[in-house]
Every structure is written in structure tokens, then in C-alpha cells.
Amino acid sequence: MSTDVVITGLGATTPVGGDVSSTWDALLDGRSGVKAIEADWVERFELPVRIAAPLAVDPADVLPRVQARRLDRCEQIALIGARQAWDDAGFDMPTEDGQAVDPDRLGVAIGTGIGGPVTLLDQDDVLETAGLRKVSPLTVPMLMPNGPAAHVGIDLRARAGVHSPASACASGAEGLAAGWRMIQSGEADVVVAGGAEACIHPITIAGFTQSRTLSTRNDEPGRASRPFDVDRDGFVLGEGAGVVVLERADYAKARGARIYGRLAGVGITADAYHITGNHPDGIGQINAIGKSLRSAELSTSDIGHLNAHATSTVVGDVGEAAAVLKAIGDHVVVTAPKGALGHLVGGAGAVESIVTILSLYHGIIPATNNLEQIDPKVELDVVAGEPRKLDVRAAVNDSFGFGGHNVALAFTSS
């Protein structure tokens, strides 16, 4: 028997806002978080890509100085997003006198695609230039990919289980899926779930540049990320975190919680095809969407909206559009937040799930930034120009990652 899982809290820090409300407002206004990289390493390494989507609010301005210094940037933003979501759900932070949720019934599932390589690379530089004694004893806790989830678990005293999915750009969405499964299996009543990534660094820019997946529209940063547009030339690397509080529905109702909507079903598949490319027939993406609908007991006609993964790559956007057409149909109304946010990698699926939840909750879908002329191969109704008011009951969020990871999340308004 299926258990209803509802969303009661939202938290985020992104390239267009330091919290959920500012991020949502920026998306509705069509503002972009993409800008020129100001770091000196762009010139030092003669990088052909000189744009990215950094956080709008530096985490060092939010966290206490001593705590911030002990955390990798990815861990910092996961903690910020989790605390926002926890507060938004109406819970008090744990104290020595107790906490609002039984710790043995509270779980965490926060994914990251890369984790803390900035710490790793920085500490390697310290080792080579200053020697062993100058290397931080916190190096390993700061670089390990489970660090973001672990710190959130410690902060909230969650003992039902702390999980850290690492499925590249699908990690944040898989964090929500893992939380949903914990509640469905009876392991937890409440799960803090999401994803985080903070790795705007010369090695990631260089690596993605060499694979020819990044936009080189350096002279027009705000117009560089162009999902589904005929003139798209690659994605823009961003950073950010998105976290939601998932609860068993009867638990949330018993405490009088505000409910944004329901995570009704999840679908996870693997292409088993190529380490970076999607299956040419889109079978993994199609099957993930199908699984999410079946687990939610929804039909394709129920789905009025789809929040697309659409990274702004030449091949990926067209492939996803074809998969959505086959899996759902041409009636679905689509948007692609990466036009404004850039690609948040492990944080993308979680932040875009929040956008999907708010689209259902408020009955309005943000427009896709920079979609001036849709690629004729994209046979979908993609919102462009202005947000579109739309009263829909159910929506799907897509997330796909290197390695052939596919995650689809089905949300309903109630």
C-alpha cells in the first residue's frame, strides 16, 4: 500500500537568489545568474570559457565564520538550504532539551555530483608549497561526497539514515527519490532531501571545455544559456543547493503543517550505454518518466507541466524533447530553468524540483530564458517570453546525468 509523501518545507541558495522566494521571483522576472568569471585563473590558464553562474549570496555571509571555515563550499550551501527548508516547514532546530521530530524517524538524503574537489585541489597545493604540517586535518571530511548530507544529518540530529546519492547531474533529484523511498518503506516519518554543488573551478571549466559542452558566449553572459533555442551552443556551469522537507502525509496533517504539494511518484533508470552520452533512442529517459507516472498512479493525460533538464547542449535538448514527446505527449507545457540558473550539476534536480513544486502551488510557470527561436526539432510547447498562468494538477521534473542516470519525479498539487 502506497504512503502519501508531502512537501512541507523548501530551501535554496542559487545564482539568482539566496533563498527560495528571491530565486522564484527572479525566475518569474526572467533574470539571469550568469556572469563573467572574475577570478584571475581565467587569464592565467587562458580558458576559452570565461562565464559561469555563481551564487547570488556568498555562504560566508550567511554562516558563522568559524563554522564556514570548517566546511567545503558544497557542504556550506547544503547546510544553508537544509536550515531554510527546516524553518519553512515550521520545525525548531534541535536543542539539548529535545527536538520536534523523533531522531530515529528523521532521515536525510542529499546528493552531489562532484562533492568537495575544490578542497582536495586547494589542500594539494598547500601540501606541495608549504608541506605536510600546513595541510588541514579537516581535508577528508571536507572533500568527501557524503559531507553535505552528513553535516545536515548532524545539524538536525537525524538518525533514521543519512544518504548521499552521487549520480552526476541527477544527484539532487535522486536525493528526493531516496527520501521518498525512506518514507514509503516505513524507515522515516520526515526526510530532509535535495542536492548541492559548488565547483566553479579551473579544472571543471577546463574539463568541460575540452569535452566541448560549455557555451562560449563570453561577450553576452546573460544570453549564453539557451535551452531549446536554435542558437544554443552549450551549458553554463553554475553552483547552488535545493532542499525540501518530505513528510508522511498523516504526520504533516497531524501537526497542522502547510503542504505545498505531494511527491507522488519516482522513476529511476540507467541507459547502460555511454559514460557521457544519452541513449540515442531515449529509452532510459522514457522509462524513467513512465515509472514515475506508474508509481504515482497517474496517466499521461494527467500531466500538464514538465520541468525539463534541458541543459542547452546541441544534442541533449533535442534528445530530451523527443523522449518527453514519446513518454507524455505534445500537450504538456514545458519550461527549462537552466536558461536563468545555469547548470547546477548535483544541485540542479533539487532546485528545479522546487521550481516545479512552486509552479503547481502558484499556478504559474516561469518562462525559459533566452528562448528566442525554438529548434524545429523540439516539438513541444515550451514557455518563452513571459510566465504562463496554468492551473495543473500534476507535473514531472526530469533530471539526467553522466553515466546514463535518469530520474523523473512526479508531483501533484495535493
Side-chain angles (χ1 to χ4, degrees):
M1 181 176 178
S2 180
T3 299
D4 278 351
V5 177
V6 296
I7 303 107
T8 60
L10 305 175
T13 181
T14 75
V16 294
D19 56 21
V20 170
S21 62
S22 57
T23 296
W24 178 246
D25 288 344
L27 291 174
L28 291 179
D29 290 344
R31 298 198 297 271
S32 171
V34 181
K35 57 186 66 175
I37 300 171
E38 297 178 354
D40 60 5
W41 45 258
V42 174
E43 297 299 332
R44 179 155 43 103
F45 295 116
E46 299 181 346
L47 296 176
V49 174
R50 303 189 298 275
I51 55 175
L55 292 169
V57 177
D58 194 294
D61 296 335
V62 180
L63 295 172
R65 180 172 175 270
V66 173
Q67 184 179 38
R69 289 183 61 187
R70 298 172 66 87
L71 302 172
D72 181 82
R73 189 174 177 88
C74 185
E75 296 170 341
Q76 293 172 359
I77 62 176
L79 201 58
I80 289 169
R83 287 176 176 176
Q84 288 180 10
W86 193 249
D87 180 68
D88 189 46
F91 291 122
D92 294 326
M93 291 296 293
T95 67
E96 293 301 324
D97 297 326
Q99 62 189 89
V101 182
D102 178 355
D104 293 322
R105 302 294 299 166
L106 173 62
V108 171
I110 295 180
T112 178
I114 307 174
V118 174
T119 290
L120 173 62
L121 292 165
D122 288 349
Q123 290 301 307
D124 179 66
D125 289 342
V126 170
L127 177 63
E128 293 186 8
T129 59
L132 171 66
R133 293 186 180 276
K134 293 297 183 180
V135 173
S136 170
L138 296 174
T139 296
V140 173
M142 290 173 69
L143 67 85
M144 60 192 192
N146 66 309
H151 278 289
V152 170
I154 293 168
D155 198 52
L156 299 178
R157 300 181 185 175
R159 298 202 301 246
V162 173
H163 303 280
S164 48
S167 48
C169 310
S171 301
E174 194 160 341
L176 269 70
W180 181 85
R181 286 175 167 174
M182 287 183 75
I183 295 175
Q184 288 288 339
S185 67
E187 298 175 58
D189 298 320
V190 180
V191 180
V192 178
E197 205 78 80
C199 198
I200 298 175
H201 185 277
I203 193 64
T204 50
I205 295 288
F208 282 128
T209 296
Q210 289 297 90
S211 65
R212 299 182 180 180
T213 54
L214 292 180
S215 172
T216 57
R217 200 182 290 260
N218 297 309
D219 296 333
E220 299 178 296
R223 300 182 68 239
S225 184
R226 313 176 65 81
F228 298 126
D229 190 83
V230 71
D231 290 328
R232 66 193 183 281
D233 70 330
F235 71 85
V236 175
L237 183 62
E239 57 181 357
V243 182
V244 306
V245 174
L246 302 174
E247 296 188 46
R248 208 180 68 236
D250 58 342
Y251 186 95
K253 290 174 182 176
R255 69 179 188 89
R258 173 191 53 200
I259 294 174
Y260 287 102
R262 184 168 67 107
L263 177 49
V266 308
I268 299 177
T269 65
D271 285 355
Y273 172 74
H274 191 274
I275 196 62
T276 58
N278 297 322
H279 193 284
D281 296 329
I283 56 173
Q285 298 179 5
I286 293 167
N287 289 340
I289 294 172
K291 281 187 175 182
S292 74
L293 299 189
R294 287 191 295 275
S295 64
E297 298 182 344
L298 295 169
S299 68
T300 56
S301 61
D302 292 323
I303 306 302
H305 171 48
L306 181 127
N307 190 301
H309 182 68
T311 61
S312 186
T313 58
V314 175
V315 176
D317 287 11
V318 170
E320 180 180 6
V324 170
L325 193 64
K326 291 179 181 178
I328 299 177
D330 62 4
H331 67 278
V332 69
V333 177
V334 178
T335 194
K338 291 183 181 69
L341 299 170
H343 193 347
L344 310 186
V345 194
V351 170
E352 292 170 22
S353 288
I354 291 173
V355 176
T356 309
I357 293 161
L358 290 176
S359 294
L360 286 173
Y361 187 71
H362 293 296
I364 188 168
I365 300 170
T368 302
N369 271 29
N370 303 316
L371 180 52
E372 297 170 358
Q373 183 179 352
I374 195 166
D375 189 317
K377 296 178 183 176
V378 176
E379 300 175 21
L380 296 173
D381 180 6
V382 184
V383 181
E386 298 290 335
R388 187 183 304 180
K389 292 183 178 180
L390 190 68
D391 183 17
V392 296
R393 173 178 171 265
V396 170
N397 179 61
D398 276 345
S399 294
F400 312 122
F402 279 3
H405 300 279
N406 308 295
V407 180
L409 304 175
F411 298 95
T412 63
S413 56
S414 61

